[in-house]
């Protein structure tokens, strides 16, 4: 058995009833250097892939929040100590983030957080628009109103996260909303490609590591306005809102 597995089980025992693959509150608290003093629930058995999944979610949250700074190198053992787990699940999660363009492997040192500029963000927004705009316009013509109404809670979740300035929660709810919309096209490959581009566009810029709450809220409000237009089948407004949504992502 790999050394450090006992520490992983101890850390995960605080996850309570959190479903596998969903980060617990304790994970996010430790990612921010905080501690919880509440009475932990009884330990439970968790498979190894759940450890990596929760670490991956916590690292993504730290990246979106700017806690892992662009250009800085972080070692798996140091991050493992921060989360209270061995280096192995951290290293595995970082390897996954490397495939997403969030970090770069630095041999014998660890992982460097990728440095992105406005041009890369603009290019990502342009590609996303080329994919999502025509799909949304087609869906606006064909999808029954009830399907759009069912997405209202997802749009509301983005507004709620933006209102309190929770960038990590907003990033996940934003992706969930776009995934739900595109999934109505019935094309799994489309959803996967669009989601990969979306996630890459969420990593902070070097020049602006922290997105302002006002910017998040403006972006979130566009989701609710888009749903209203889709329900009303107002194609002109849908096209205008979607293009504006991606144009705003470039700035």
């Amino acid at each position: 058995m790999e050394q450090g597995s006992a520490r992983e089980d101890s850390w995960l025992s605080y996850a309570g009833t959190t479903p596998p693959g969903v980060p617990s509150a304790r994970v996010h608290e430790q990612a921010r250097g905080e501690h919880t003093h509440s009475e932990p629930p009884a330990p439970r058995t968790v498979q190894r892939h759940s450890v990596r999944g929760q670490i991956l979610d916590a690292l993504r949250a730290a990246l979106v929040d700017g806690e892992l700074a662009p250009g800085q190198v972080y070692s798996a053992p140091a991050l493992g100590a921060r989360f209270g787990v061995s280096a192995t699940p951290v290293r595995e999660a970082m390897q996954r983030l490397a495939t997403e363009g969030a970090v770069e492997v630095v041999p014998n040192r660890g992982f460097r957080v990728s440095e992105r500029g406005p041009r890369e963000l603009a290019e990502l927004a342009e590609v996303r628009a080329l994919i999502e705009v025509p799909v949304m316009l087609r869906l606006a013509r064909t999808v029954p109103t009830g399907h759009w109404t069912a997405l209202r809670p997802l749009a509301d979740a983005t507004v709620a996260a933006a209102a309190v300035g929770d960038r990590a929660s907003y990033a996940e709810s934003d992706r969930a909303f776009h995934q739900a919309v595109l999934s109505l096209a019935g094309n799994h490959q489309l959803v996967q490609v669009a989601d990969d581009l979306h996630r890459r566009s969420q990593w902070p810029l070097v020049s602006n590591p922290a997105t302002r709450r006002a910017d998040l809220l403006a972006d979130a409000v566009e989701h609710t306005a888009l749903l209203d237009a889709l329900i009303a089948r107002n194609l002109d407004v849908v096209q205008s809102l979607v293009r504006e949504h991606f144009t705003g992502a470039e700035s």
Side-chain angles (χ1 to χ4, degrees), residues 10 42 73 80 109-110 113 124 128 133 161 175 187 210 233:
S10 174
V73 177
R109 293 185 60 195
V113 178
L124 286 168
R128 287 186 62 204
V133 171
R175 285 182 49 250
N187 187 327
R233 291 189 181 279

Side-chain angles (χ1 to χ4, degrees), residues 27-221:
V27 177
H28 286 304
E29 288 166 354
Q30 291 193 352
R32 293 172 171 79
E34 300 171 0
H35 300 278
T36 177
H37 300 286
S38 59
E39 188 68 19
R44 63 187 180 90
T45 302
V46 180
Q47 297 299 318
R48 178 178 173 76
H49 71 271
S50 295
V51 182
R52 182 179 62 180
Q54 292 185 49
I55 292 296
L56 180 60
D57 287 338
L59 288 171
R60 282 173 173 159
L63 284 163
V64 171
D65 280 339
E67 294 174 8
L68 298 181
Q72 295 298 310
V73 177
Y74 299 90
S75 70
L79 289 172
R82 180 177 181 179
F83 290 121
V85 299
S86 70
T88 300
V90 176
R91 189 174 292 109
E92 292 171 346
M94 282 297 213
Q95 291 286 358
R96 172 65 180 273
L97 290 172
T99 67
E100 297 175 1
V103 300
E104 304 165 357
V105 178
V106 181
N108 302 319
R109 293 185 60 195
F111 301 85
R112 177 184 292 111
V113 178
S114 299
E115 300 180 87
R116 300 190 306 108
R119 179 175 179 177
E120 182 179 349
L121 186 62
E123 290 174 347
L124 286 168
E126 181 181 6
V127 177
R128 287 186 62 204
L130 289 172
I131 295 174
E132 296 194 36
V133 171
V135 172
M136 287 190 184
L137 290 175
R138 175 164 59 86
L139 293 174
R141 299 185 184 95
T142 59
V143 172
T145 299
H147 287 72
W148 298 124
T149 303
L151 299 186
R152 183 72 68 182
L154 294 177
D156 291 343
T158 67
V159 175
V164 296
D166 188 338
R167 292 187 294 274
S169 293
Y170 178 79
E172 290 305 309
S173 59
D174 180 37
R175 285 182 49 250
F177 175 78
H178 281 263
Q179 281 181 324
V181 170
L182 295 176
S183 67
L184 295 175
N187 187 327
H188 181 65
Q189 299 302 319
L190 166 71
V191 175
Q192 281 193 321
V193 170
D195 186 57
D196 178 66
L197 291 168
H198 195 164
R199 192 183 289 283
R200 288 172 183 269
S201 71
Q202 291 179 328
W203 308 134
L205 292 171
V206 175
S207 58
N208 183 26
T211 306
R212 296 180 306 164
R213 181 184 303 184
D215 294 332
L216 291 180
L217 194 55
D219 194 57
V221 169

